[in-house]
PDB file of all heavy atoms in Angstrom:
ATOM      1  N   ASP A  63      -1.121   5.449 -21.779  1.00 62.00           N
ATOM      2  CA  ASP A  63      -0.112   4.891 -22.664  1.00 62.00           C
ATOM      3  C   ASP A  63       1.203   5.002 -21.910  1.00 62.00           C
ATOM      4  O   ASP A  63       1.232   4.880 -20.698  1.00 62.00           O
ATOM      5  CB  ASP A  63      -0.091   5.661 -23.993  1.00 62.00           C
ATOM      6  CG  ASP A  63       0.498   4.836 -25.124  1.00 62.00           C
ATOM      7  OD1 ASP A  63       1.148   3.809 -24.869  1.00 62.00           O
ATOM      8  OD2 ASP A  63       0.329   5.236 -26.279  1.00 62.00           O
ATOM      9  N   TRP A  64       2.258   5.326 -22.601  1.00 65.00           N
ATOM     10  CA  TRP A  64       3.580   5.337 -21.997  1.00 65.00           C
ATOM     11  C   TRP A  64       3.696   6.321 -20.843  1.00 65.00           C
ATOM     12  O   TRP A  64       4.449   6.105 -19.905  1.00 65.00           O
ATOM     13  CB  TRP A  64       4.621   5.651 -23.067  1.00 65.00           C
ATOM     14  CG  TRP A  64       5.987   5.597 -22.483  1.00 65.00           C
ATOM     15  CD1 TRP A  64       6.772   6.650 -22.155  1.00 65.00           C
ATOM     16  CD2 TRP A  64       6.708   4.435 -22.096  1.00 65.00           C
ATOM     17  NE1 TRP A  64       7.942   6.225 -21.589  1.00 65.00           N
ATOM     18  CE2 TRP A  64       7.926   4.853 -21.541  1.00 65.00           C
ATOM     19  CE3 TRP A  64       6.439   3.072 -22.145  1.00 65.00           C
ATOM     20  CZ2 TRP A  64       8.874   3.975 -21.067  1.00 65.00           C
ATOM     21  CZ3 TRP A  64       7.387   2.199 -21.669  1.00 65.00           C
ATOM     22  CH2 TRP A  64       8.586   2.646 -21.135  1.00 65.00           C
ATOM     23  N   ASP A  65       2.952   7.415 -20.880  1.00 70.00           N
ATOM     24  CA  ASP A  65       3.072   8.455 -19.862  1.00 70.00           C
ATOM     25  C   ASP A  65       2.891   7.922 -18.447  1.00 70.00           C
ATOM     26  O   ASP A  65       3.476   8.439 -17.507  1.00 70.00           O
ATOM     27  CB  ASP A  65       2.087   9.588 -20.125  1.00 70.00           C
ATOM     28  CG  ASP A  65       0.643   9.121 -20.113  1.00 70.00           C
ATOM     29  OD1 ASP A  65       0.343   8.095 -20.755  1.00 70.00           O
ATOM     30  OD2 ASP A  65      -0.175   9.781 -19.469  1.00 70.00           O
ATOM     31  N   ILE A  66       2.125   6.861 -18.261  1.00 74.00           N
ATOM     32  CA  ILE A  66       1.925   6.349 -16.903  1.00 74.00           C
ATOM     33  C   ILE A  66       3.184   5.720 -16.332  1.00 74.00           C
ATOM     34  O   ILE A  66       3.361   5.680 -15.132  1.00 74.00           O
ATOM     35  CB  ILE A  66       0.744   5.363 -16.813  1.00 74.00           C
ATOM     36  CG1 ILE A  66       0.990   4.122 -17.647  1.00 74.00           C
ATOM     37  CG2 ILE A  66      -0.551   6.032 -17.182  1.00 74.00           C
ATOM     38  CD1 ILE A  66      -0.010   3.030 -17.403  1.00 74.00           C
ATOM     39  N   PHE A  67       4.073   5.244 -17.183  1.00 73.00           N
ATOM     40  CA  PHE A  67       5.341   4.693 -16.707  1.00 73.00           C
ATOM     41  C   PHE A  67       6.323   5.823 -16.415  1.00 73.00           C
ATOM     42  O   PHE A  67       6.992   5.829 -15.397  1.00 73.00           O
ATOM     43  CB  PHE A  67       5.961   3.759 -17.750  1.00 73.00           C
ATOM     44  CG  PHE A  67       5.173   2.513 -17.976  1.00 73.00           C
ATOM     45  CD1 PHE A  67       4.374   2.389 -19.085  1.00 73.00           C
ATOM     46  CD2 PHE A  67       5.228   1.458 -17.083  1.00 73.00           C
ATOM     47  CE1 PHE A  67       3.647   1.242 -19.310  1.00 73.00           C
ATOM     48  CE2 PHE A  67       4.502   0.302 -17.293  1.00 73.00           C
ATOM     49  CZ  PHE A  67       3.705   0.191 -18.411  1.00 73.00           C
ATOM     50  N   VAL A  68       6.414   6.772 -17.323  1.00 67.00           N
ATOM     51  CA  VAL A  68       7.374   7.864 -17.190  1.00 67.00           C
ATOM     52  C   VAL A  68       7.072   8.696 -15.948  1.00 67.00           C
ATOM     53  O   VAL A  68       7.975   9.105 -15.228  1.00 67.00           O
ATOM     54  CB  VAL A  68       7.378   8.744 -18.458  1.00 67.00           C
ATOM     55  CG1 VAL A  68       8.250   9.962 -18.282  1.00 67.00           C
ATOM     56  CG2 VAL A  68       7.846   7.923 -19.655  1.00 67.00           C
ATOM     57  N   THR A  69       5.806   8.936 -15.678  1.00 71.00           N
ATOM     58  CA  THR A  69       5.430   9.720 -14.503  1.00 71.00           C
ATOM     59  C   THR A  69       5.413   8.871 -13.234  1.00 71.00           C
ATOM     60  O   THR A  69       5.117   9.358 -12.156  1.00 71.00           O
ATOM     61  CB  THR A  69       4.041  10.345 -14.685  1.00 71.00           C
ATOM     62  OG1 THR A  69       3.084   9.298 -14.860  1.00 71.00           O
ATOM     63  CG2 THR A  69       4.011  11.298 -15.862  1.00 71.00           C
ATOM     64  N   LYS A  70       5.717   7.586 -13.388  1.00 74.00           N
ATOM     65  CA  LYS A  70       5.747   6.615 -12.286  1.00 74.00           C
ATOM     66  C   LYS A  70       4.380   6.441 -11.625  1.00 74.00           C
ATOM     67  O   LYS A  70       4.273   5.993 -10.495  1.00 74.00           O
ATOM     68  CB  LYS A  70       6.813   6.973 -11.267  1.00 74.00           C
ATOM     69  CG  LYS A  70       8.187   6.931 -11.893  1.00 74.00           C
ATOM     70  CD  LYS A  70       9.280   7.140 -10.893  1.00 74.00           C
ATOM     71  CE  LYS A  70      10.594   7.042 -11.648  1.00 74.00           C
ATOM     72  NZ  LYS A  70      11.719   7.455 -10.942  1.00 74.00           N
ATOM     73  N   LYS A  71       3.324   6.802 -12.353  1.00 81.00           N
ATOM     74  CA  LYS A  71       1.986   6.542 -11.843  1.00 81.00           C
ATOM     75  C   LYS A  71       1.738   5.036 -11.822  1.00 81.00           C
ATOM     76  O   LYS A  71       1.132   4.504 -10.915  1.00 81.00           O
ATOM     77  CB  LYS A  71       0.947   7.248 -12.710  1.00 81.00           C
ATOM     78  CG  LYS A  71      -0.467   7.066 -12.229  1.00 81.00           C
ATOM     79  CD  LYS A  71      -1.447   7.831 -13.085  1.00 81.00           C
ATOM     80  CE  LYS A  71      -2.870   7.561 -12.607  1.00 81.00           C
ATOM     81  NZ  LYS A  71      -3.847   8.165 -13.498  1.00 81.00           N
ATOM     82  N   LYS A  72       2.199   4.331 -12.852  1.00 84.00           N
ATOM     83  CA  LYS A  72       2.075   2.872 -12.908  1.00 84.00           C
ATOM     84  C   LYS A  72       3.467   2.291 -12.739  1.00 84.00           C
ATOM     85  O   LYS A  72       4.334   2.493 -13.566  1.00 84.00           O
ATOM     86  CB  LYS A  72       1.492   2.424 -14.249  1.00 84.00           C
ATOM     87  CG  LYS A  72       1.410   0.899 -14.392  1.00 84.00           C
ATOM     88  CD  LYS A  72       0.809   0.518 -15.735  1.00 84.00           C
ATOM     89  CE  LYS A  72       0.790  -0.960 -15.949  1.00 84.00           C
ATOM     90  NZ  LYS A  72      -0.248  -1.667 -15.203  1.00 84.00           N
ATOM     91  N   TYR A  73       3.662   1.574 -11.656  1.00 88.00           N
ATOM     92  CA  TYR A  73       4.944   0.896 -11.512  1.00 88.00           C
ATOM     93  C   TYR A  73       4.768  -0.545 -11.070  1.00 88.00           C
ATOM     94  O   TYR A  73       5.706  -1.196 -10.627  1.00 88.00           O
ATOM     95  CB  TYR A  73       5.914   1.660 -10.605  1.00 88.00           C
ATOM     96  CG  TYR A  73       5.428   1.992  -9.227  1.00 88.00           C
ATOM     97  CD1 TYR A  73       5.675   1.133  -8.164  1.00 88.00           C
ATOM     98  CD2 TYR A  73       4.738   3.162  -8.995  1.00 88.00           C
ATOM     99  CE1 TYR A  73       5.245   1.456  -6.893  1.00 88.00           C
ATOM    100  CE2 TYR A  73       4.310   3.486  -7.727  1.00 88.00           C
ATOM    101  CZ  TYR A  73       4.564   2.630  -6.683  1.00 88.00           C
ATOM    102  OH  TYR A  73       4.128   2.960  -5.428  1.00 88.00           O
ATOM    103  N   ILE A  74       3.545  -1.044 -11.245  1.00 92.00           N
ATOM    104  CA  ILE A  74       3.272  -2.459 -11.052  1.00 92.00           C
ATOM    105  C   ILE A  74       2.497  -2.952 -12.268  1.00 92.00           C
ATOM    106  O   ILE A  74       1.514  -2.340 -12.669  1.00 92.00           O
ATOM    107  CB  ILE A  74       2.434  -2.716  -9.779  1.00 92.00           C
ATOM    108  CG1 ILE A  74       3.220  -2.351  -8.514  1.00 92.00           C
ATOM    109  CG2 ILE A  74       1.978  -4.174  -9.717  1.00 92.00           C
ATOM    110  CD1 ILE A  74       2.430  -2.512  -7.230  1.00 92.00           C
ATOM    111  N   GLU A  75       2.952  -4.034 -12.849  1.00 92.00           N
ATOM    112  CA  GLU A  75       2.199  -4.743 -13.889  1.00 92.00           C
ATOM    113  C   GLU A  75       1.645  -5.997 -13.230  1.00 92.00           C
ATOM    114  O   GLU A  75       2.300  -6.604 -12.374  1.00 92.00           O
ATOM    115  CB  GLU A  75       3.106  -5.098 -15.065  1.00 92.00           C
ATOM    116  CG  GLU A  75       2.439  -5.876 -16.158  1.00 92.00           C
ATOM    117  CD  GLU A  75       1.243  -5.191 -16.797  1.00 92.00           C
ATOM    118  OE1 GLU A  75       1.034  -3.971 -16.607  1.00 92.00           O
ATOM    119  OE2 GLU A  75       0.480  -5.881 -17.496  1.00 92.00           O
ATOM    120  N   THR A  76       0.424  -6.381 -13.568  1.00 94.00           N
ATOM    121  CA  THR A  76      -0.213  -7.505 -12.891  1.00 94.00           C
ATOM    122  C   THR A  76      -0.627  -8.598 -13.860  1.00 94.00           C
ATOM    123  O   THR A  76      -0.849  -8.355 -15.038  1.00 94.00           O
ATOM    124  CB  THR A  76      -1.472  -7.053 -12.112  1.00 94.00           C
ATOM    125  OG1 THR A  76      -2.448  -6.583 -13.034  1.00 94.00           O
ATOM    126  CG2 THR A  76      -1.138  -5.988 -11.098  1.00 94.00           C
ATOM    127  N   ARG A  77      -0.732  -9.800 -13.312  1.00 95.00           N
ATOM    128  CA  ARG A  77      -1.213 -10.970 -14.045  1.00 95.00           C
ATOM    129  C   ARG A  77      -1.974 -11.860 -13.063  1.00 95.00           C
ATOM    130  O   ARG A  77      -1.683 -11.856 -11.866  1.00 95.00           O
ATOM    131  CB  ARG A  77      -0.056 -11.785 -14.652  1.00 95.00           C
ATOM    132  CG  ARG A  77       0.781 -11.048 -15.685  1.00 95.00           C
ATOM    133  CD  ARG A  77      -0.011 -10.898 -16.977  1.00 95.00           C
ATOM    134  NE  ARG A  77       0.783 -10.427 -18.087  1.00 95.00           N
ATOM    135  CZ  ARG A  77       0.958  -9.173 -18.437  1.00 95.00           C
ATOM    136  NH1 ARG A  77       0.439  -8.223 -17.716  1.00 95.00           N
ATOM    137  NH2 ARG A  77       1.659  -8.847 -19.497  1.00 95.00           N
ATOM    138  N   THR A  78      -2.899 -12.645 -13.570  1.00 94.00           N
ATOM    139  CA  THR A  78      -3.629 -13.579 -12.711  1.00 94.00           C
ATOM    140  C   THR A  78      -2.783 -14.804 -12.388  1.00 94.00           C
ATOM    141  O   THR A  78      -3.022 -15.481 -11.397  1.00 94.00           O
ATOM    142  CB  THR A  78      -4.954 -14.030 -13.354  1.00 94.00           C
ATOM    143  OG1 THR A  78      -4.676 -14.579 -14.634  1.00 94.00           O
ATOM    144  CG2 THR A  78      -5.916 -12.866 -13.471  1.00 94.00           C
ATOM    145  N   ARG A  79      -1.795 -15.085 -13.235  1.00 95.00           N
ATOM    146  CA  ARG A  79      -0.863 -16.200 -12.997  1.00 95.00           C
ATOM    147  C   ARG A  79       0.562 -15.661 -13.062  1.00 95.00           C
ATOM    148  O   ARG A  79       0.809 -14.604 -13.608  1.00 95.00           O
ATOM    149  CB  ARG A  79      -1.058 -17.289 -14.058  1.00 95.00           C
ATOM    150  CG  ARG A  79      -2.422 -17.972 -13.945  1.00 95.00           C
ATOM    151  CD  ARG A  79      -2.662 -18.912 -15.093  1.00 95.00           C
ATOM    152  NE  ARG A  79      -2.679 -18.120 -16.317  1.00 95.00           N
ATOM    153  CZ  ARG A  79      -2.294 -18.547 -17.497  1.00 95.00           C
ATOM    154  NH1 ARG A  79      -1.865 -19.760 -17.660  1.00 95.00           N
ATOM    155  NH2 ARG A  79      -2.329 -17.758 -18.549  1.00 95.00           N
ATOM    156  N   ASN A  80       1.514 -16.438 -12.574  1.00 96.00           N
ATOM    157  CA  ASN A  80       2.915 -16.006 -12.540  1.00 96.00           C
ATOM    158  C   ASN A  80       3.576 -16.228 -13.905  1.00 96.00           C
ATOM    159  O   ASN A  80       4.491 -17.017 -14.048  1.00 96.00           O
ATOM    160  CB  ASN A  80       3.657 -16.758 -11.438  1.00 96.00           C
ATOM    161  CG  ASN A  80       5.057 -16.222 -11.220  1.00 96.00           C
ATOM    162  OD1 ASN A  80       5.400 -15.141 -11.676  1.00 96.00           O
ATOM    163  ND2 ASN A  80       5.870 -16.984 -10.530  1.00 96.00           N
ATOM    164  N   THR A  81       3.115 -15.498 -14.899  1.00 96.00           N
ATOM    165  CA  THR A  81       3.581 -15.715 -16.272  1.00 96.00           C
ATOM    166  C   THR A  81       4.818 -14.904 -16.646  1.00 96.00           C
ATOM    167  O   THR A  81       5.473 -15.212 -17.637  1.00 96.00           O
ATOM    168  CB  THR A  81       2.464 -15.390 -17.275  1.00 96.00           C
ATOM    169  OG1 THR A  81       2.001 -14.062 -17.023  1.00 96.00           O
ATOM    170  CG2 THR A  81       1.308 -16.360 -17.135  1.00 96.00           C
ATOM    171  N   LEU A  82       5.144 -13.871 -15.894  1.00 96.00           N
ATOM    172  CA  LEU A  82       6.282 -13.014 -16.257  1.00 96.00           C
ATOM    173  C   LEU A  82       7.561 -13.343 -15.492  1.00 96.00           C
ATOM    174  O   LEU A  82       8.565 -12.662 -15.650  1.00 96.00           O
ATOM    175  CB  LEU A  82       5.927 -11.534 -16.071  1.00 96.00           C
ATOM    176  CG  LEU A  82       4.765 -11.006 -16.905  1.00 96.00           C
ATOM    177  CD1 LEU A  82       4.578  -9.515 -16.670  1.00 96.00           C
ATOM    178  CD2 LEU A  82       4.954 -11.304 -18.382  1.00 96.00           C
ATOM    179  N   GLU A  83       7.540 -14.388 -14.698  1.00 95.00           N
ATOM    180  CA  GLU A  83       8.732 -14.752 -13.926  1.00 95.00           C
ATOM    181  C   GLU A  83       9.978 -14.937 -14.792  1.00 95.00           C
ATOM    182  O   GLU A  83      11.074 -14.544 -14.385  1.00 95.00           O
ATOM    183  CB  GLU A  83       8.488 -16.006 -13.088  1.00 95.00           C
ATOM    184  CG  GLU A  83       9.643 -16.296 -12.164  1.00 95.00           C
ATOM    185  CD  GLU A  83       9.350 -17.407 -11.178  1.00 95.00           C
ATOM    186  OE1 GLU A  83       8.291 -18.045 -11.259  1.00 95.00           O
ATOM    187  OE2 GLU A  83      10.194 -17.626 -10.309  1.00 95.00           O
ATOM    188  N   PRO A  84       9.870 -15.494 -16.021  1.00 95.00           N
ATOM    189  CA  PRO A  84      11.078 -15.640 -16.848  1.00 95.00           C
ATOM    190  C   PRO A  84      11.740 -14.300 -17.214  1.00 95.00           C
ATOM    191  O   PRO A  84      12.865 -14.270 -17.676  1.00 95.00           O
ATOM    192  CB  PRO A  84      10.573 -16.344 -18.105  1.00 95.00           C
ATOM    193  CG  PRO A  84       9.324 -17.040 -17.679  1.00 95.00           C
ATOM    194  CD  PRO A  84       8.716 -16.154 -16.635  1.00 95.00           C
ATOM    195  N   LEU A  85      11.040 -13.185 -16.996  1.00 96.00           N
ATOM    196  CA  LEU A  85      11.571 -11.866 -17.334  1.00 96.00           C
ATOM    197  C   LEU A  85      12.193 -11.162 -16.133  1.00 96.00           C
ATOM    198  O   LEU A  85      12.791 -10.092 -16.275  1.00 96.00           O
ATOM    199  CB  LEU A  85      10.459 -10.977 -17.909  1.00 96.00           C
ATOM    200  CG  LEU A  85       9.583 -11.571 -19.003  1.00 96.00           C
ATOM    201  CD1 LEU A  85       8.538 -10.563 -19.448  1.00 96.00           C
ATOM    202  CD2 LEU A  85      10.409 -12.040 -20.171  1.00 96.00           C
ATOM    203  N   PHE A  86      12.056 -11.745 -14.952  1.00 95.00           N
ATOM    204  CA  PHE A  86      12.506 -11.112 -13.724  1.00 95.00           C
ATOM    205  C   PHE A  86      13.983 -10.732 -13.786  1.00 95.00           C
ATOM    206  O   PHE A  86      14.826 -11.500 -14.210  1.00 95.00           O
ATOM    207  CB  PHE A  86      12.264 -12.044 -12.527  1.00 95.00           C
ATOM    208  CG  PHE A  86      12.768 -11.496 -11.233  1.00 95.00           C
ATOM    209  CD1 PHE A  86      12.175 -10.391 -10.652  1.00 95.00           C
ATOM    210  CD2 PHE A  86      13.861 -12.057 -10.597  1.00 95.00           C
ATOM    211  CE1 PHE A  86      12.641  -9.873  -9.459  1.00 95.00           C
ATOM    212  CE2 PHE A  86      14.333 -11.549  -9.398  1.00 95.00           C
ATOM    213  CZ  PHE A  86      13.717 -10.453  -8.837  1.00 95.00           C
ATOM    214  N   GLY A  87      14.275  -9.505 -13.362  1.00 96.00           N
ATOM    215  CA  GLY A  87      15.650  -9.031 -13.287  1.00 96.00           C
ATOM    216  C   GLY A  87      16.207  -8.532 -14.606  1.00 96.00           C
ATOM    217  O   GLY A  87      17.387  -8.203 -14.688  1.00 96.00           O
ATOM    218  N   GLU A  88      15.380  -8.457 -15.639  1.00 96.00           N
ATOM    219  CA  GLU A  88      15.850  -8.048 -16.962  1.00 96.00           C
ATOM    220  C   GLU A  88      15.207  -6.743 -17.413  1.00 96.00           C
ATOM    221  O   GLU A  88      14.122  -6.391 -16.970  1.00 96.00           O
ATOM    222  CB  GLU A  88      15.511  -9.122 -17.997  1.00 96.00           C
ATOM    223  CG  GLU A  88      16.205 -10.431 -17.770  1.00 96.00           C
ATOM    224  CD  GLU A  88      15.947 -11.412 -18.904  1.00 96.00           C
ATOM    225  OE1 GLU A  88      15.939 -10.991 -20.070  1.00 96.00           O
ATOM    226  OE2 GLU A  88      15.758 -12.593 -18.607  1.00 96.00           O
ATOM    227  N   ARG A  89      15.887  -6.058 -18.316  1.00 97.00           N
ATOM    228  CA  ARG A  89      15.263  -4.940 -19.037  1.00 97.00           C
ATOM    229  C   ARG A  89      14.458  -5.566 -20.154  1.00 97.00           C
ATOM    230  O   ARG A  89      14.977  -6.371 -20.922  1.00 97.00           O
ATOM    231  CB  ARG A  89      16.301  -3.979 -19.601  1.00 97.00           C
ATOM    232  CG  ARG A  89      15.646  -2.880 -20.430  1.00 97.00           C
ATOM    233  CD  ARG A  89      16.533  -1.676 -20.616  1.00 97.00           C
ATOM    234  NE  ARG A  89      16.729  -0.935 -19.386  1.00 97.00           N
ATOM    235  CZ  ARG A  89      15.841  -0.078 -18.866  1.00 97.00           C
ATOM    236  NH1 ARG A  89      14.686   0.125 -19.448  1.00 97.00           N
ATOM    237  NH2 ARG A  89      16.107   0.554 -17.754  1.00 97.00           N
ATOM    238  N   VAL A  90      13.173  -5.245 -20.193  1.00 96.00           N
ATOM    239  CA  VAL A  90      12.273  -5.859 -21.161  1.00 96.00           C
ATOM    240  C   VAL A  90      11.490  -4.798 -21.927  1.00 96.00           C
ATOM    241  O   VAL A  90      11.308  -3.676 -21.457  1.00 96.00           O
ATOM    242  CB  VAL A  90      11.291  -6.831 -20.467  1.00 96.00           C
ATOM    243  CG1 VAL A  90      12.037  -7.990 -19.818  1.00 96.00           C
ATOM    244  CG2 VAL A  90      10.429  -6.129 -19.436  1.00 96.00           C
ATOM    245  N   ALA A  91      11.037  -5.187 -23.095  1.00 95.00           N
ATOM    246  CA  ALA A  91      10.219  -4.302 -23.923  1.00 95.00           C
ATOM    247  C   ALA A  91       8.793  -4.266 -23.399  1.00 95.00           C
ATOM    248  O   ALA A  91       8.285  -5.253 -22.887  1.00 95.00           O
ATOM    249  CB  ALA A  91      10.229  -4.793 -25.363  1.00 95.00           C
TER     250      ALA A  91
END
Side-chain angles (χ1 to χ4, degrees):
D63 203 345
W64 183 256
D65 60 313
I66 63 170
F67 293 102
V68 174
T69 61
K70 298 186 179 168
K71 182 178 177 186
K72 177 179 176 76
Y73 55 92
I74 294 177
E75 178 59 14
T76 65
R77 297 287 190 269
T78 55
R79 293 173 297 149
N80 188 15
T81 55
L82 299 183
E83 187 171 6
L85 312 180
F86 177 68
E88 296 186 40
R89 176 161 291 281
V90 297

